Amino acid sequence: MSYFYFPRAAAATRAALNCSLRIGARSITASACQHFQATKSNLEGSLPDFDRAAEIKYSKPPNPAWKKGDGANDAGASLGKNHVEIDPYAEGRSLFSNYKLLVSGVVPRPVAFVSTRSKDGQSVNLAPFSYFQVINHDPPLFVVSFVGSVEKAKDTLRNLVDTGECVINIISEHFLDAANATAAPVPYGVSEFGIAGLHPAACSTVQAPRVRESVFSIEGKLVEVKEFESRAQPGKKTSVLAIIEGTRFWAREDAINEDQDAISLDVLRPMSRLGGIQYGRTREIVEIGRPAT
C-alpha cells in the first residue's frame, strides 16, 4: 500500500482561494473574482436554501394496477404532441447546440470524480466527468469520455494514459461545492485537492489517491483508449473514450451492508449532472418489480 503527503494549502492554492491566482500571462484579480462572486451570489440569491435535512422518499409506481398493453399513464396526452426533427449537422447549426441539447436531454447522468497521479509522481489531479457509466460487473468495467484528443490531452486524460491508473470517486451532497470547484482551469501540476479542500487517501492497487470524503470509490486500471473524429471537420480528433477496469472498491462503513453488496442511498446521497450548471439530487425513489414473463 502506498502513502502520500499533499500540502493542503500550497502558495498557488492559497492564492487561488484569495482570488489572485496568476495563470500563465493572465491574472485573476481580486476585482474580477469579486465580480464572479457577485454574479454567483445574485444567481444563488434568487433560489431557496439547500435542504440538508431532506429525506429520501420511496413510492409505488405511477399506476400499480398497470397491465400488459396499457401503454403510457397519461390517457393518451403524449400522443397528441408533435415532435421536431433535428439534424445535428444541419446548415447553420453550431456543434455547441448539440452539446447543450444532449446534456439537457440525457439526464440525469452519473458523475465520475476522477483522481489521477502524474507519471513522475510529483502531482495529482482531480476533476469531474459526466460522460461516464458502469458497463459491466465481471470484470467491473467503466467508461469515461473526454473532449479533445490524446495528443492534446488535458490533465486527467494525460495522467490516465501515462500511468494507466485512476480512481473513480462518486460525488455526494456533502462535498458538491468542493467537487464543483475542481472544474476550474488551473495549470498542470496544481493539485485540485488543495483548491477544493478535499483529502487524498491511499489506495491498494493504484498509485493515484482516492478522495477521503467520497462514500464510494473505485480503483481502476486503463483497458483501452479509443479516439473519435469530428463529422463536421474530418480528420480532427474530438473525443477520447477510456475503458477502465475496477480493481478495488472502497465503501464507507456506514454505507455498506453486511454482505458488502449494496450501498445505502441514504448515506451515499449521490449527485448527478443535468443541463447547464444544474445538478440533480436523488430524493424520490419509485420501486417497481420486474415482469415475471
Side-chain angles (χ1 to χ4, degrees):
M1 183 175 290
S2 300
Y3 295 88
F4 306 91
Y5 170 72
F6 301 104
R8 288 196 59 193
T13 299
R14 288 195 299 271
L17 296 176
N18 289 327
C19 303
S20 59
L21 174 65
R22 176 172 294 277
I23 302 177
R26 297 176 299 161
S27 178
I28 301 177
T29 64
S31 60
C33 185
Q34 289 169 358
H35 173 72
F36 166 77
Q37 291 175 336
T39 302
K40 181 173 181 289
S41 296
N42 289 336
L43 172 64
E44 295 178 350
S46 63
L47 300 173
D49 291 339
F50 189 92
D51 185 0
R52 296 176 180 272
E55 296 182 355
I56 294 179
K57 301 178 181 179
Y58 295 81
S59 73
K60 300 175 182 178
N63 181 11
W66 189 96
K67 61 184 183 299
K68 289 183 178 180
D70 279 355
N73 294 313
D74 61 357
S78 57
L79 298 178
K81 305 294 183 180
N82 295 322
H83 289 75
V84 176
E85 180 180 357
I86 302 171
D87 180 353
Y89 298 105
E91 184 177 354
R93 181 177 176 83
S94 72
L95 297 179
F96 188 58
S97 293
N98 291 337
Y99 166 78
K100 292 194 296 181
L101 176 66
L102 293 175
V103 299
S104 63
V106 184
V107 293
R109 300 185 307 283
V111 184
F113 198 28
V114 182
S115 47
T116 56
R117 188 187 190 199
S118 62
K119 188 175 182 179
D120 61 11
Q122 296 302 304
S123 64
V124 293
N125 184 259
L126 186 60
F129 297 89
S130 67
Y131 286 172
F132 159 69
Q133 190 54 269
V134 54
I135 60 171
N136 196 37
H137 63 279
D138 182 24
L141 292 176
F142 307 82
V143 289
V144 180
S145 182
F146 305 85
V147 175
S149 66
V150 172
E151 182 181 1
K152 298 180 179 179
K154 293 185 179 180
D155 301 0
T156 299
L157 178 58
R158 174 179 171 179
N159 289 346
L160 179 60
V161 171
D162 284 349
T163 66
E165 299 180 347
C166 72
V167 182
I168 297 171
N169 307 276
I170 301 303
I171 297 175
S172 295
E173 293 177 4
H174 65 276
F175 65 97
L176 172 62
D177 297 286
N180 184 60
T182 66
V186 296
Y188 182 77
V190 175
S191 172
E192 286 84 357
F193 274 96
I195 291 174
L198 295 173
H199 299 77
C203 289
S204 296
T205 65
V206 301
Q207 294 298 306
R210 57 190 170 89
V211 176
R212 177 71 175 173
E213 286 82 354
S214 183
V215 175
F216 187 51
S217 299
I218 301 139
E219 297 180 22
K221 301 271 191 174
L222 182 62
V223 175
E224 183 180 349
V225 166
K226 181 174 177 57
E227 290 186 293
F228 294 88
E229 289 189 359
S230 168
R231 293 287 186 267
Q233 303 176 54
K236 179 182 179 181
K237 300 292 194 302
T238 56
S239 178
V240 181
L241 180 71
I243 301 176
I244 298 163
E245 179 177 348
T247 55
R248 194 69 89 246
F249 307 137
W250 291 85
R252 215 170 75 181
E253 288 182 338
D254 60 340
I256 191 74
N257 65 347
E258 185 176 350
D259 292 333
Q260 297 189 347
D261 62 6
I263 298 289
S264 168
L265 273 178
D266 289 294
V267 179
L268 183 61
R269 297 280 177 145
M271 300 300 302
S272 59
R273 277 298 266 128
L274 306 175
I277 60 173
Q278 298 174 336
Y279 282 81
R281 302 174 71 182
T282 303
R283 294 180 56 184
E284 296 191 12
I285 312 300
V286 176
E287 293 195 344
I288 180 169
R290 293 187 179 183
T293 57

